[in-house]
Amino acid sequence: MREVCVLGVGMSRFGKFPEKDLLELAVPAVWEAIKDSGVPAKKIQVAYCGNVMGKHCLGQRILVELGLTGIEIVNVENACSSGSTAFRGVWALIASGAYDIGLAFGAEQMSQKVEGAIQLDQEDLETGQGLIMPTLYAMKANRHMQRFGTTREQLALVSVKNHAHSCHNPRSQYQKTFTLEQVLHSAMIADPLTLYQCCPTGDGASAAILCAKDVAACYQSKPITIAASVLLSGRTNMEPSEMASSELTRRASQAAYDMAGIGPQDLDLLEVHDAFTIGEILHYENLGLCPPGEGGRLVESQQTWIGGRIPVNPSGGLLSKGHPLGATGIAQIAEIVWQLRGEAGGRQVENAKVGLAHCMGGGVGGVDGAACAIHILKR
Amino acid sequence: MREVCVLGVGMSRFGKFPEKDLLELAVPAVWEAIKDSGVPAKKIQVAYCGNVMGKHCLGQRILVELGLTGIEIVNVENACSSGSTAFRGVWALIASGAYDIGLAFGAEQMSQKVEGAIQLDQEDLETGQGLIMPTLYAMKANRHMQRFGTTREQLALVSVKNHAHSCHNPRSQYQKTFTLEQVLHSAMIADPLTLYQCCPTGDGASAAILCAKDVAACYQSKPITIAASVLLSGRTNMEPSEMASSELTRRASQAAYDMAGIGPQDLDLLEVHDAFTIGEILHYENLGLCPPGEGGRLVESQQTWIGGRIPVNPSGGLLSKGHPLGATGIAQIAEIVWQLRGEAGGRQVENAKVGLAHCMGGGVGGVDGAACAIHILKR
């Protein structure tokens, strides 16, 4: 299997732009990644597009506007992991030797379609009984509090941290600090999760140019290596006690650490799927940043802030940077690339050498996630 | 790049089954492929699902019903080539060495959603002006008739042939012969294409188990090798004269022949994307079965019938076997596997050793196809 690296990344500002269609969101992000990579557009041999809510053949529709025709184009969907799935699809084709250079991008236009929270699928049995995302995460939070003594304040601190981080990210949907009190006293959505503990809906796009390591030197002197790519779906028959954990993230991260030949102690930063504050706390534990049950205390001790032992979501994460479904996974990759290059400005993690991106997609029929993608990047 | 083979295939009967949902269509097809392969289900490491009209995370929704959880699952969409795209996705991951064994499947439930022809997308510029699939193919047919002297009778003979073939296919949507007169005098849809020259909408599913060649012997003595896998999208700036051709299929088939180290003269049978009769005639030429302009005469001389020089669509093709979008590509693969194994019953192509599957997906914004997938299989 050939080593693959990232040569360039691009990203729109995330936010609510009901006046922009998917083309207007995606085209600048793709161009930015191409320009950033140093690769002439005509050298791109394959493109994967991640999206959830758009039209069929979305990748083709967008790339024809860029004159990127004639190549292999594939559209993938894996709920919130759609972008990461696109990234991995291109990785696999280059790793196999089928191609040398590819484009992965993700895009989502939600504000034209979604009012407030994502609409419910009335045909889903669990959904019909009220088990939508905020309530599912609220159950996890309650279980974690009951089992490990995690506090409402610790949960809320994840939001305080990520909003603080995103003040230094000009592409973030929100660029504003919130105090602990503000987070705790925002509207209650699903107890104990308040409004500012739930990621917003939004619009945006992201893109990356991937390249076989052995030809990367033709284009750039600072390629970022993909040390691990893992994508897995959840298992059924969760024990009730598993509500306070995620077997899926644990399994996927272990596979990724094995593939990269490192452990969590070797990471300098992470972008983690913090759709809800409890998610980030759970994933600290699932990803091995701290022992089970210690996630709340990890954020409270400021170890996951920029400047702490192991910064998590320096970009602002889904909670503050935003979460336009198909764009999220590759935006995480983009943040890690900028950090590893030392280009992250006011949110730079000092001397970052190894970063991990973790993205989760939906839950279906009693499994704890439809898709968990983990990518480890290193310079 | 490792060699990959097909160990098992499965397929539902195609047809209109408004009472069946996607689960009911897909589960038996997937099980059939697994049983046919000899691979224990728990050995499957990755699954790709091809679908156009279903819900998000469809692959996960279907596979959880089979207990196939915990593995990598990816949902792909590439219009009518969605199934072929899923097949190629699994091929790439096994070829890369990431996995040894994978499942590709496709499924579509159209009869619950579509009345008559596929609904129009009013936002599309070309569609708004009437350029829907039947009219686009009718333009191609008129151009071919005007340029090469192709006759209405030659066009209609493609339908006569494919319906005759499908009488021997118990999984075909139609299993009934039509005379030339019946085809010519069926309702006019878009001159010169009559009703029986247009593929039906329908429901169905198909599946294949892929395996690295070097471990296939553990499970089966008759693996079918994937000699070539190619997926490309169309180019812009077609010349008007290109209406009577398809640059995309020509390019994709040339790449596939190069990859397999063979030429069209080495093929024993083909499954070709005959959504409309003119499509099959054009693709005879694009795939190199005859010189440009000679497609009409090729079918008229009975060379592409079972028993002829180079049988095309022994399964009945999209015109008669049916075309449930996401299921079509892997159903073509299944037919070729059955033919190469000598298991095709009354429609068996004698001593078939090499077969080619050709699938086209939609056209977008002036390109001559969003996705063309070609797979060459050999025993």
Side-chain angles (χ1 to χ4, degrees), chain A residues 57 70-72 77 88 233, chain B residues 57 71-72 77 88 233 251:
Chain A
C57 288
I71 61 172
E72 173 168 356
E77 185 278 315
R88 175 165 164 81
S233 62
Chain B
C57 287
I71 61 173
E72 172 168 355
E77 185 278 315
R88 176 167 164 80
S233 62
R251 241 179 345 116

Side-chain angles (χ1 to χ4, degrees), chain B residues 86-379:
Chain B
F87 186 83
R88 176 167 164 80
V90 175
W91 169 86
L93 279 164
I94 298 176
S96 77
Y99 297 120
D100 286 337
I101 299 173
L103 160 69
F105 71 108
E108 208 75 51
Q109 166 45 260
M110 299 177 79
S111 63
Q112 289 174 359
K113 300 199 171 186
V114 177
E115 277 198 48
I118 293 176
Q119 275 94 356
L120 310 187
D121 180 348
Q122 300 294 352
E123 289 174 34
D124 262 13
L125 205 63
E126 290 90 347
T127 302
Q129 295 176 320
L131 199 57
I132 57 175
M133 282 297 163
T135 52
L136 181 65
Y137 275 94
M139 286 167 73
K140 289 174 186 282
N142 280 301
R143 180 75 180 146
H144 206 271
M145 292 163 77
Q146 179 261 334
R147 188 162 169 202
F148 299 116
T150 303
T151 65
R152 288 171 182 268
E153 288 73 20
Q154 289 168 344
L155 290 171
L157 277 170
V158 173
S159 174
V160 173
K161 168 180 73 71
N162 291 352
H163 278 98
H165 286 174
S166 72
C167 287
H168 306 285
N169 187 351
R171 306 181 196 235
S172 182
Q173 183 157 351
Y174 298 104
Q175 297 168 32
K176 183 174 172 220
T177 56
F178 290 91
T179 64
L180 182 61
E181 289 304 303
Q182 283 174 313
V183 173
L184 283 171
H185 295 128
S186 59
M188 182 57 72
I189 301 298
D191 193 22
L193 302 176
T194 57
L195 181 63
Y196 297 152
Q197 300 190 54
C198 307
C199 68
T201 60
D203 315 317
S206 55
I209 300 292
L210 290 78
C211 181
K213 190 77 175 280
D214 47 23
V215 301
C218 306
Y219 303 103
Q220 205 188 86
S221 59
K222 294 196 303 179
I224 301 295
T225 302
I226 302 168
S229 173
V230 170
L231 177 59
L232 291 173
S233 62
R235 288 205 174 114
T236 41
N237 301 322
M238 278 195 299
E239 294 291 316
S241 65
E242 289 285 304
M243 281 304 287
S245 178
S246 162
E247 178 263 347
L248 173 54
T249 293
R250 268 188 282 124
R251 241 179 345 116
S253 62
Q254 194 52 60
Y257 292 137
D258 289 349
M259 189 170 176
I262 64 168
Q265 70 285 354
D266 300 308
L267 298 173
D268 297 309
L269 79 148
L270 299 91
E271 288 283 311
V272 165
H273 195 85
D274 60 330
F276 300 88
T277 49
I278 179 64
E280 182 169 314
I281 287 178
L282 286 173
H283 294 311
Y284 291 161
E285 304 167 12
N286 300 324
L287 291 162
L289 304 187
C290 66
E294 294 298 315
R297 284 173 282 276
L298 191 71
V299 66
E300 193 176 38
S301 64
Q302 305 215 326
Q303 294 182 65
T304 55
W305 289 62
I306 294 171
R309 179 173 66 85
I310 178 67
V312 173
N313 286 324
S315 72
L318 284 60
L319 281 168
S320 189
K321 183 180 60 185
H323 184 28
L325 313 174
T328 291
I330 298 174
Q332 293 179 321
I333 303 272
E335 176 69 12
I336 290 176
V337 167
W338 288 321
Q339 291 281 353
L340 299 187
R341 287 183 185 163
E343 298 172 357
R347 65 187 192 281
Q348 180 66 47
V349 174
E350 212 179 322
N351 197 27
K353 294 193 187 78
V354 186
L356 181 150
H358 161 267
C359 202
M360 292 287 293
V364 176
V367 301
D368 68 342
C372 175
I374 296 191
H375 288 95
I376 297 177
L377 306 180
K378 64 180 184 188
R379 68 166 156 100

Side-chain angles (χ1 to χ4, degrees), chain A residues 291-348:
Chain A
E294 294 297 316
R297 285 174 280 276
L298 192 72
V299 65
E300 194 175 38
S301 64
Q302 304 215 327
Q303 294 182 65
T304 55
W305 289 63
I306 294 172
R309 178 174 66 84
I310 178 66
V312 173
N313 286 325
S315 72
L318 283 62
L319 281 167
S320 189
K321 184 180 60 185
H323 184 27
L325 314 174
T328 291
I330 299 174
Q332 292 180 321
I333 303 273
E335 176 68 13
I336 290 177
V337 167
W338 288 320
Q339 291 281 353
L340 299 186
R341 286 182 186 164
E343 298 173 357
R347 64 188 192 282
Q348 180 66 46

Side-chain angles (χ1 to χ4, degrees), chain A residues 14 80 162-163 172-174 198-201 271-276 280 313 315-325 328-329 332 358-360:
Chain A
F14 284 1
C80 306
N162 291 352
H163 278 99
S172 182
Q173 184 159 349
Y174 298 103
C198 308
C199 68
T201 60
E271 287 284 311
V272 165
H273 196 85
D274 60 332
F276 300 89
E280 183 170 314
N313 286 325
S315 72
L318 283 62
L319 281 167
S320 189
K321 184 180 60 185
H323 184 27
L325 314 174
T328 291
Q332 292 180 321
H358 161 266
C359 202
M360 293 284 292

